[in-house]
Amino acid sequence: MVKEKILVIGAGGQLGSELTQGLWKLHGKDNVIATDIKGPEGILGQADFEILDVLQDQKLDALIRKSKVTQIYHLAAVLSATGEKNPKLAWNLNMDGLVHVLDAAVEHKVNKVYWPSSIAAFGPTTPKIKTPQDTIMDPSTVYGISKLAGERWCDWYFRNKGVDVRSLRYPGLIGYKSKPGGGTTDYAVDIFFKALLEKKFECFLKSDTYLPMMYMDDAVKATLQLMEAPCEKIKVRSSYNVTGMSFCPSEIAAEIKKYIPAFEITYKPDFRQSIADSWPKSINDSVARIDWGWEPAFGLEEMTAEILANLPALL
Ligand SMILES: NC(=O)c1ccc[n+]([C@@H]2O[C@H](COP(=O)([O-])OP(=O)(O)OC[C@H]3O[C@@H](n4cnc5c(N)ncnc54)[C@H](O)[C@@H]3O)[C@@H](O)[C@H]2O)c1
């Protein structure tokens, strides 16, 4: 078996901090270099960690060369809500960062690259229920525009430069071990913290706003499964639809109330409501299931039980 050397960019974020631990288990701590523009915080400080700004392409090149990197997981991005407040920052980081990584993969003959897209790549005229793999894509946020453009870049580098780049269109990711980074689905993480600490939560989306979501364990599982799949099974080189569940704020609140009967939710929609309204309500991920065997383990009930059993010990 080839000994891999894995570079994780943006490892300190909500996804990166948990995915890095998944990579430690798969490849061994010594073979994973976690990097971020800040940190290291918490558990990431226990292993190889370096400060890296993905926009500094010469430093990226030097690290790949020095460490003989064979795989890159590029997770650094400005997310949807933050991106609408700072569109140029979002465009610069999300586009230049990706192109730097793809160019470096060509230059250094990196075996595999992972880059996440998002349901934000869809838009207001995309079919909203069970959104198919191939459909109308008219994103209305800068974040979504950058994700759709990123998908096309990935496909282009695969076809024209032979880069084995793989991608998932994540729905909202929900975990309790790390805080979310400025997305429109962040409420579904914050609600657990507020339910336990204050028994009340003010939601920035309307009660009936359905969105596709995925528990963090499933997101890590899907990512590693995609990256470990044989090359010939990966037929989509833009990005694969994946999902775990779909719910609205009143449904997750009702689930939490089963464990914390005094919990109350109120609603005060803000600018994030229109972002959520432009996205799919549920996702059809049958192509990922057929191509490389994707299957989620967590629905709303299983996820709520797991988070409420484990989060109190961390508060
Ligand atoms: N969290 C979700 O619900 C979700 C959903 C869909 C897609 N995604 C995608 O998954 C990826 C990770 O998302 P996340 O939720 O972990 O985001 P996050 O904001 O929590 O983490 C991003 C990390 O990137 C780092 N970073 C910022 N600028 C950098 C730079 N110039 N160089 C290096 N690192 C830099 C940040 O410090 C941060 O630790 C992103 O591409 C995001 O678009 C996330």
Side-chain angles (χ1 to χ4, degrees):
M1 208 174 101
V2 189
K3 197 173 167 206
E4 302 286 353
K5 196 76 180 176
I6 317 286
L7 173 63
V8 187
I9 301 169
Q14 189 200 6
L15 171 65
S17 51
E18 301 215 32
L19 184 57
T20 300
Q21 294 174 60
L23 288 163
W24 286 349
K25 279 192 203 132
L26 192 62
H27 297 283
K29 269 189 183 177
D30 292 348
N31 296 316
V32 180
I33 311 161
T35 70
D36 203 289
I37 202 166
K38 60 174 172 49
E41 280 167 21
I43 198 162
L44 290 186
Q46 291 177 7
D48 198 352
F49 185 96
E50 297 202 26
I51 297 290
L52 176 72
D53 179 349
V54 71
L55 295 177
Q56 297 188 342
D57 51 354
Q58 290 179 0
K59 294 210 167 129
L60 173 66
D61 276 340
L63 180 57
I64 295 171
R65 192 175 301 113
K66 182 187 81 177
S67 304
K68 300 190 172 56
V69 168
T70 62
Q71 293 188 23
I72 304 175
Y73 286 71
H74 170 42
L75 312 176
V78 172
L79 272 63
S80 59
T82 311
E84 288 311 279
K85 290 187 175 158
N86 204 334
K88 291 279 161 51
L89 174 76
W91 182 254
N92 291 343
L93 174 59
N94 297 4
M95 282 296 86
D96 290 353
L98 174 61
V99 171
H100 286 174
V101 167
L102 291 169
D103 279 339
V106 176
E107 165 87 17
H108 301 283
K109 300 189 173 54
V110 171
N111 294 343
K112 281 186 244 181
V113 175
Y114 178 74
W115 170 82
S117 184
S118 159
I119 55 158
F122 298 115
T125 66
T126 300
K128 287 203 185 313
I129 310 291
K130 294 220 171 284
T131 301
Q133 175 69 40
D134 296 306
T135 186
I136 300 165
M137 301 185 80
D138 58 347
S140 55
T141 59
V142 173
Y143 175 67
I145 297 168
S146 75
K147 288 298 185 188
L148 179 53
E151 289 190 11
R152 301 325 311 164
W153 272 125
C154 289
D155 188 67
W156 189 89
Y157 271 84
F158 172 73
R159 284 186 292 105
N160 293 287
K161 304 279 183 183
V163 179
D164 185 354
V165 52
R166 306 175 182 199
S167 174
L168 299 175
R169 285 177 189 144
Y170 293 128
L173 302 181
I174 307 171
Y176 64 93
K177 294 178 194 152
S178 49
K179 287 285 173 80
T184 302
T185 53
D186 288 6
Y187 90 85
V189 176
D190 294 337
I191 194 170
F192 287 103
F193 285 82
K194 288 278 167 50
L196 286 164
L197 292 169
E198 300 173 22
K199 301 204 168 21
K200 60 178 191 211
F201 177 66
E202 186 176 86
C203 185
F204 58 74
L205 296 181
K206 287 193 265 181
S207 64
D208 59 352
T209 309
Y210 277 88
L211 285 169
M213 302 277 188
M214 185 180 269
Y215 185 49
M216 190 58 84
D217 288 24
D218 270 340
V220 170
K221 183 178 87 167
T223 307
L224 298 180
Q225 200 178 331
L226 174 80
M227 286 297 276
E228 292 304 303
C231 193
E232 64 275 11
K233 291 213 183 260
I234 310 302
K235 310 234 169 68
V236 174
R237 291 297 179 163
S238 51
S239 193
Y240 276 102
N241 277 10
V242 281
T243 192
M245 62 194 97
S246 185
F247 59 79
C248 63
S250 64
E251 285 180 353
I252 190 171
E255 196 58 36
I256 291 173
K257 239 171 138 49
K258 288 184 191 167
Y259 298 83
I260 307 171
F263 175 62
E264 292 297 339
I265 185 167
T266 52
Y267 302 95
K268 195 177 175 197
D270 66 15
F271 73 101
R272 288 168 281 195
Q273 183 65 47
S274 62
I275 300 178
D277 289 342
S278 75
W279 288 353
K281 294 178 189 296
S282 59
I283 295 288
N284 178 335
D285 59 6
S286 56
V287 178
R289 288 170 186 256
I290 292 164
D291 283 5
W292 44 275
W294 166 239
E295 198 175 339
F298 288 85
L300 178 58
E301 286 180 20
E302 295 83 7
M303 178 184 77
T304 305
E306 168 118 343
I307 294 178
L308 291 178
N310 292 296
L311 180 55
L314 304 182
L315 295 175

